[in-house]
């Protein structure tokens, strides 16, 4: 049975890596971490006189280049002039040419948020009256496409490399110092260093294209690389590379000279390596903290040290777990029970640290209990919390196996002593036999002696292989060690998926920022609604549209409530019901508005889910009065969806 463990482990790891790849591939472009909270003119408004400048307000400070903010006329020609500048706080503006004619203008922006993620978007406003426009902004790929996927993969590999390298070294120093001479452990830690170094170089090359064009052809553009080196993220990546050179020296000492030292020298060297390694590991963790979520928002002076501590605790736990897995499956030298017990204590302390720092980070990034379910960040965080809880549960099982190993130590020691006596007796008999063989060789000629020497060498190699196989069978036959190996393998599998979720989480807009942006948008829409409602006699419109997606249980009715159904901002509610009137829990609803008589639209609107069967969107801008076609796309499963429509009089 034990012979099948290694193949099963390889299959499990491959399946987990495949699931991780699918998770990363499905993550898509990084969500905007700096949300657009306001603009002047506002989205969808019609102004009587052409403005002299366009201003945008974000939820946090952003970095802008010469082409970050563009304004295009109906024919797609740029009408902005000069460079975009920071006029106050988080508001940025760019000037416009004078004498702009009437029509619909498109504002596009592509900036980098303070926590290093690209933010892109577009909206329209009109001068005098809306018009047709040839401008399309669907090609914007900053943070997406092949470059975005590679950047996300590079981030995952860099996290994994850091965890394996730091956690593996900590495991050797704190738990199993004999492991410094084990080749399998050495290869694991060195592989972590190589992965982190290669991923950091990849991120540095991809960074320019990732935050600007999104084109793979620009990856080796030296001008973009030069711009990246002048940014906070570029400085963090370069600092990481410099620290990795120090880490290489640390690894060389740990696995080169450490195991050959005397006990007193080894104690002194252990102390020096522990201090130096902690400094290098903290510096590497700081290269993430200084450029990502912890460096922006509330209490950055506290958040960055907490983030460093969080990353170090993750590495000590999961990296040590990976090294323990290698020691249990691949090491020729059996790992001592005391080493496993020491790691169990280290892992327990790491988990306590993770809980404390995780609670603070969750409060800082979410801001409210409702953000757990109302924001993408909160939902991902719930998945992460569930995985951590599962990991802790499996770790508790591992601790039970560790205690059983400790309880069985006396019996196993006696068995080992008996085995050693048997081996000594066998070696004595073999020595006597070999002595007789030598005396026989002396009586035989020189040629025969040479042949016997070759045969003796072959027998020695065979005997060594048999001894190694016997020791491995004895080790694998231990039911307690076998149980520990299985539980540690399960822990490692969950850890792979947990790391993938964490990587996606770092690329997702924090819940606090998302809620602030929604509040600002709703406030802007309400202000627009109140300012333009004077003298408006329009009334709300309700549309009931039946649908059938064609799949099983795919029939229902979608109700659109549009209030006050006039030119300008409107409040829209979408209710999806089954034929019996009960709420229909569908995964996705999309709405678009088209004024076919004026060739305007379709204007897409993606409402937010409020509760089961209820979706809502504020600030729905309709620029002209007329008979508008309201199209609703309802998806009831991964493959079943349909689009139905109905006309409504607006204004």
């Amino acid at each position: 049975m034990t012979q099948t463990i290694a193949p099963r482990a390889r299959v499990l790891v491959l399946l987990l890596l495949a699931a991780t790849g699918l998770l990363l591939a499905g993550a898509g472009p990084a969500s905007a971490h700096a949300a657009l909270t306001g603009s002047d003119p506002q989205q969808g408004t019609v102004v009587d006189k052409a403005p002299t400048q366009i201003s945008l307000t974000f939820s946090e400070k952003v970095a802008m280049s010469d082409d970050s903010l563009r304004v295009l006329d109906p024919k797609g020609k740029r009408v902005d002039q000069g460079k975009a500048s920071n006029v106050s706080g988080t508001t940025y503006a760019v000037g416009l040419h004078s004498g702009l004619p009437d029509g619909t203008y498109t504002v596009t922006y592509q900036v980098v948020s303070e926590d290093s993620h690209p933010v892109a978007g577009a909206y329209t406003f009109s001068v005098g009256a809306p018009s047709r426009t040839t401008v399309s902004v669907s090609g914007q790929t900053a943070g997406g496409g092949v470059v975005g996927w590679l950047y996300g993969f590079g981030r995952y590999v860099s996290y994994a490399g850091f965890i394996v390298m730091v956690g593996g070294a900590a495991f050797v120093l704190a738990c199993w110092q004999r492991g410094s001479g084990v080749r399998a452990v050495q290869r694991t830690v060195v592989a972590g260093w190589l992965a982190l170094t290669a991923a950091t170089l990849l991120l540095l090359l991809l960074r320019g294209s990732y935050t600007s064009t999104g084109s793979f052809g620009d990856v080796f553009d030296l001008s973009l690389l030069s711009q990246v080196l002048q940014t906070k993220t570029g400085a963090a990546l370069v600092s990481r590379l410099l620290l990795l050179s120090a880490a290489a020296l640390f690894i060389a000492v740990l696995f080169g000279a450490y195991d050959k030292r005397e006990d007193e020298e080894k104690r002194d060297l252990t102390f020096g390596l522990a201090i130096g390694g902690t400094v290098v590991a903290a510096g590497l963790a700081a290269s993430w903290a200084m450029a990502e979520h912890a460096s922006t928002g509330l209490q950055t002076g506290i958040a960055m040290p907490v983030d460093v501590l969080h990353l170090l605790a993750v590495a000590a736990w999961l990296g040590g777990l990976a090294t323990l897995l290698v020691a249990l499956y691949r090491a020729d030298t059996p790992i001592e029970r005391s080493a496993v017990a020491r790691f169990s204590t280290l892992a327990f302390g790491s988990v306590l640290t993770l809980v404390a720092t995780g609670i603070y980070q969750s409060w800082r990034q979410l801001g409210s209990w409702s953000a757990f379910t109302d924001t993408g960040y909160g939902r991902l965080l719930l998945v992460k919390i569930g995985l951590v809880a599962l990991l802790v549960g499996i770790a508790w099982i591992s601790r039970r196996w560790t205690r059983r190993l400790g309880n069985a130590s006396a019996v196993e020691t006696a068995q080992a002593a008996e085995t050693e006596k048997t081996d000594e007796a066998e070696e004595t008999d073999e020595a006597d036999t070999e002595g007789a063989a030598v005396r026989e060789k002396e009586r035989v000629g020189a040629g025969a002696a040479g042949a016997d020497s070759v045969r003796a060498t072959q027998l020695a190699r065979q005997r060594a292989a048999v001894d190694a196989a016997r020791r491995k069978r004895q080790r694998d036959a231990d039911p307690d060690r076998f149980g520990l190996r299985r539980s540690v393998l399960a822990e490692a599998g969950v850890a792979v998926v947990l790391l993938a979720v964490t990587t996606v989480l770092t690329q997702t807009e924090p819940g606090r920022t998302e809620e602030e942006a929604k509040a600002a948008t709703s406030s802007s829409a309400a202000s627009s609604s109140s300012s333009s409602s004077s003298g408006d006699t329009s009334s709300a419109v309700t549309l009931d549209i039946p649908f059938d997606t064609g799949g099983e249980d795919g029939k229902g009715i979608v109700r659109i409530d549009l209030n006050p159904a006039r030119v300008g901002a409107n409040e829209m509610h979408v209710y999806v019901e089954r034929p019996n009137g009960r709420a229909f829990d569908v995964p996705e609803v999309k709405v678009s508005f088209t004024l076919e008589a004026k060739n305007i639209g379709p204007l897409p609107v993606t409402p937010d889910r409020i509760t089961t069967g209820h979706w809502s969107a504020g600030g729905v801008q309709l620029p002209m009065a007329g008979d508008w076609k309201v199209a609703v796309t309802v998806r009831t499963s991964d493959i079943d969806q349909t689009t139905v429509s109905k006309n409504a009089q607006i204004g």
Side-chain angles (χ1 to χ4, degrees):
M1 180 177 179
T2 56
Q3 294 177 350
T4 63
I5 293 297
R8 289 180 181 176
R10 286 194 292 268
V11 171
L12 178 60
V13 170
L14 288 174
L15 289 174
L16 289 170
L17 289 175
T20 300
L22 290 174
L23 179 61
L24 289 173
S31 300
H33 291 207
L36 182 67
T37 58
S39 62
D40 185 17
Q42 294 182 1
Q43 177 177 352
T45 58
V46 179
V47 297
D48 295 331
K49 183 180 179 182
T52 59
Q53 69 172 19
I54 296 295
S55 64
L56 302 180
T57 302
F58 295 91
S59 58
E60 64 183 49
K61 289 187 176 181
V62 297
M64 286 198 168
S65 62
D66 293 345
D67 291 331
S68 289
L69 186 53
R70 301 186 302 161
V71 183
L72 309 174
D73 67 11
K75 295 181 180 180
K77 181 181 177 181
R78 291 186 64 168
V79 296
D80 56 280
Q81 60 179 354
K83 296 182 179 180
S85 59
N86 181 214
V87 293
S88 65
T90 58
T91 300
Y92 301 80
V94 65
L96 301 179
H97 292 300
S98 59
L100 295 180
D102 292 351
T104 297
Y105 291 81
T106 303
V107 180
T108 69
Y109 57 91
Q110 186 167 300
V111 299
V112 179
S113 65
E114 200 170 15
D115 58 0
S116 79
H117 297 278
V119 182
Y123 73 90
T124 61
F125 73 95
S126 301
V127 177
S131 68
R132 296 187 63 182
T133 177
T134 61
V135 178
S136 174
V137 294
S138 59
Q140 294 185 190
T141 56
V146 175
V147 171
W149 187 91
L150 286 174
Y151 197 86
F153 178 75
R155 288 170 62 85
Y156 177 83
V157 173
S158 64
Y159 279 123
F162 170 79
I163 287 172
V164 171
M165 180 186 72
V166 173
F171 180 85
V172 170
L173 275 178
C175 305
W176 193 36
Q177 294 181 2
R178 285 184 59 192
S180 62
V182 176
R183 295 298 298 270
V185 173
Q186 294 175 0
R187 287 194 294 267
T188 299
V189 176
V190 171
W193 183 90
L194 291 173
L196 179 55
T197 303
T200 302
L201 289 171
L202 177 66
L203 293 175
L204 197 58
L205 288 174
L206 293 172
R207 181 68 188 174
S209 176
Y210 174 70
T211 58
S212 56
T213 64
S215 171
F216 187 79
D218 291 334
V219 169
F220 299 101
D221 188 334
L222 294 181
S223 62
L224 285 177
L225 180 60
S226 176
Q227 294 175 16
V228 168
L229 295 177
Q230 300 175 34
T231 64
K232 182 171 65 174
T233 303
L237 292 173
V238 172
S239 300
R240 192 180 302 168
L241 288 174
L242 294 175
L243 287 166
L244 281 169
S245 62
L249 178 61
F250 172 90
I251 293 172
V253 174
L254 178 62
F255 294 133
Y258 181 76
D259 193 49
K260 302 175 183 177
R261 303 284 178 147
E262 298 295 333
D263 289 343
E264 185 174 351
E265 291 181 340
K266 185 176 289 187
R267 282 194 298 270
D268 295 337
L269 187 57
T270 299
F271 179 78
L273 286 174
I275 297 298
T278 300
V279 172
V280 173
L284 288 169
S287 68
W288 277 283
M290 67 181 289
E292 297 191 353
H293 284 165
S295 64
T296 64
L298 299 174
Q299 301 177 351
T300 56
I302 300 175
M304 286 192 286
V306 168
D307 196 48
V308 170
L309 192 60
H310 190 83
L311 286 172
L312 291 178
V314 170
W317 183 20
L318 300 187
L321 183 69
T323 310
L324 174 61
L325 184 66
V326 170
L328 289 171
Y329 277 93
R330 294 297 182 187
D332 294 330
T333 303
I335 185 171
E336 298 90 351
R337 306 168 192 85
S338 58
V340 179
R342 283 192 291 270
F343 172 69
S344 181
T345 302
L346 176 64
F348 181 73
S350 299
V351 170
L352 293 180
T353 303
L354 284 173
V355 171
T357 55
I359 290 174
Y360 172 78
Q361 289 178 327
S362 299
W363 167 81
R364 185 174 175 272
Q365 299 294 352
L366 289 176
S368 67
W369 290 106
S370 61
F372 271 111
T373 55
D374 293 346
T375 65
Y377 186 94
R379 289 187 287 270
L380 268 177
L381 187 58
L382 287 176
V383 174
K384 179 180 178 180
I385 292 172
L387 289 172
V388 171
L390 176 60
L391 201 55
V392 170
I394 301 175
W396 179 75
I397 297 175
S398 297
R399 285 174 65 88
R400 292 181 60 189
W401 286 116
T402 301
R403 286 195 296 270
R404 293 184 63 176
L405 281 175
N407 295 334
S409 59
V411 176
E412 291 185 3
T413 301
Q415 292 176 347
E418 184 66 27
T419 301
E420 185 176 352
K421 290 180 181 179
T422 303
D423 291 343
E424 289 177 355
E426 292 176 354
E427 289 174 359
T428 301
D429 293 341
E430 290 174 357
D432 293 341
T433 303
E434 289 177 358
V438 169
R439 288 190 296 273
E440 181 66 21
K441 290 176 186 177
E442 292 176 351
R443 291 191 297 269
V444 183
D452 289 343
S453 177
V454 173
R455 177 60 179 167
T457 302
Q458 293 175 343
L459 289 174
R461 284 199 298 266
Q462 292 174 358
R463 185 167 57 252
V466 170
D467 290 341
R470 176 175 53 80
R471 288 194 299 270
K472 186 175 185 302
R473 283 196 303 270
Q474 290 176 345
R475 181 187 66 189
D476 293 344
D478 181 359
D480 296 329
R481 192 177 297 274
F482 177 72
L484 178 62
R485 290 170 67 182
R486 287 193 303 176
S487 63
V488 171
L489 179 61
E491 281 187 80
V494 176
V496 170
V497 181
L498 174 63
L499 183 58
V501 173
T502 302
T503 304
V504 176
L505 196 63
T506 62
Q507 300 181 177
T508 304
E509 181 178 0
R512 185 186 293 271
T513 303
E514 185 177 340
E515 289 197 325
E516 288 176 354
K518 287 180 179 178
T521 302
S522 299
S523 176
S524 174
S527 175
S528 174
S529 174
S530 62
S531 64
S532 58
S533 62
S534 176
D536 190 357
T537 60
S538 300
S539 58
V541 167
T542 299
L543 304 176
D544 288 336
I545 314 174
F547 67 87
D548 184 358
T549 61
E552 183 179 356
D553 192 25
K555 293 183 179 181
I557 298 174
V558 59
R559 173 175 297 145
I560 306 291
D561 286 344
L562 199 63
N563 187 22
R566 56 157 175 76
V567 176
N570 292 267
E571 185 79 15
M572 182 181 72
H573 290 270
V574 182
Y575 301 92
V576 185
E577 300 176 349
R578 298 181 182 275
N580 60 8
R582 297 183 61 184
F584 198 160
D585 189 13
V586 298
E588 186 178 35
V589 172
K590 295 181 180 179
V591 183
S592 67
F593 295 85
T594 305
L595 185 58
E596 297 177 341
K598 299 293 185 180
N599 292 322
I600 298 177
L603 306 178
V605 178
T606 303
D608 297 320
R609 186 179 185 274
I610 304 301
T611 185
T612 302
H614 181 196
W615 307 69
S616 176
V620 178
Q621 296 285 340
L622 299 177
M624 296 184 68
D627 190 25
W628 286 80
K629 175 184 175 183
V630 183
V632 186
T633 300
V634 181
R635 181 166 64 85
T636 56
S637 70
D638 290 339
I639 59 174
D640 297 318
Q641 73 173 37
T642 187
T643 300
V644 293
S645 63
K646 201 169 187 177
N647 284 16
Q649 183 65 38
I650 303 298

